[in-house]
Amino acid sequence: MRFMMLMIPKGYEKAAPGAMPDAKTIAAMMKYNESLQKAGVLLSGEGLHPPSMGARVSFAGGKPKVTDGPFAEAKEVLGGYWMIQVKSREEAIEWAKRCPGSENEVIEIRQVQELSDFDAESLPPKLAAREQALRDELERKAKKR
């Protein structure tokens, strides 16, 4: 089972462009990331620049509208993520509990939807085959990097 662990640092929605964590925080997170990798559960993970450097695309009325950050209405924003592959939700929770997060950080854990999660009505066989081909191609490209 794949899970995304989403880091939500309180206050990050107001961070200035280019804001970066300090060296001590980076070192602690690197140690954690290495433990995920050594255990063979880490698929990917990255930190994200603050929303002040981002953009949002909304689709009111079916037309794209771009809003540059920061986003005044945002109460929680992502600071980073990990994609892990584990045997259960409980194991994902255990990994999240090991993170060297601070008092102002929350990790949200979300299971990734796999093709096997869909029934034939929601995802007809022809669409499932197209989706599988896309996933296979993405995996091949990732291995070449």
Side-chain angles (χ1 to χ4, degrees), residues 4-7 28-29 32 35-36 41 82 84 86 88-102 105-109:
M4 282 200 88
M5 299 191 307
L6 307 165
M7 176 62 81
M29 202 57 72
Y32 174 67
S35 71
L36 289 164
V41 300
W82 298 267
I84 61 172
V86 293
S88 66
R89 177 179 177 268
E90 292 73 23
E91 186 179 354
I93 291 169
E94 287 303 314
W95 277 109
K97 287 166 54 176
R98 296 177 196 166
C99 180
S102 68
E105 295 172 317
V106 173
I107 296 177
E108 182 177 327
I109 301 164

Side-chain angles (χ1 to χ4, degrees), residues 6 15 17 23 27-28 31 34 38 50 66 85 94 100 102 117 125 128 145:
L6 307 165
K31 186 176 179 182
E34 289 169 343
K38 285 178 187 171
V66 177
Q85 187 157 16
E94 287 303 314
S102 68
D117 294 332
R145 289 186 209 152

Side-chain angles (χ1 to χ4, degrees), residues 26-119:
I26 292 172
M29 202 57 72
M30 179 57 74
K31 186 176 179 182
Y32 174 67
N33 293 343
E34 289 169 343
S35 71
L36 289 164
Q37 183 182 23
K38 285 178 187 171
V41 300
L42 182 64
L43 299 175
S44 66
E46 300 289 342
L48 301 172
H49 282 284
S52 56
M53 297 175 65
R56 287 186 174 177
V57 179
S58 58
F59 297 92
K63 295 184 179 185
K65 178 187 174 195
V66 177
T67 304
D68 289 327
F71 313 110
E73 72 282 358
K75 293 182 181 169
E76 292 183 336
V77 297
L78 294 179
Y81 74 93
W82 298 267
M83 177 74 78
I84 61 172
Q85 187 157 16
V86 293
K87 294 178 182 169
S88 66
R89 177 179 177 268
E90 292 73 23
E91 186 179 354
I93 291 169
E94 287 303 314
W95 277 109
K97 287 166 54 176
R98 296 177 196 166
C99 180
S102 68
E103 288 183 13
N104 73 323
E105 295 172 317
V106 173
I107 296 177
E108 182 177 327
I109 301 164
R110 305 273 302 273
Q111 186 174 350
V112 175
Q113 291 178 331
E114 304 291 354
L115 289 177
S116 60
D117 294 332
F118 294 91
D119 60 25

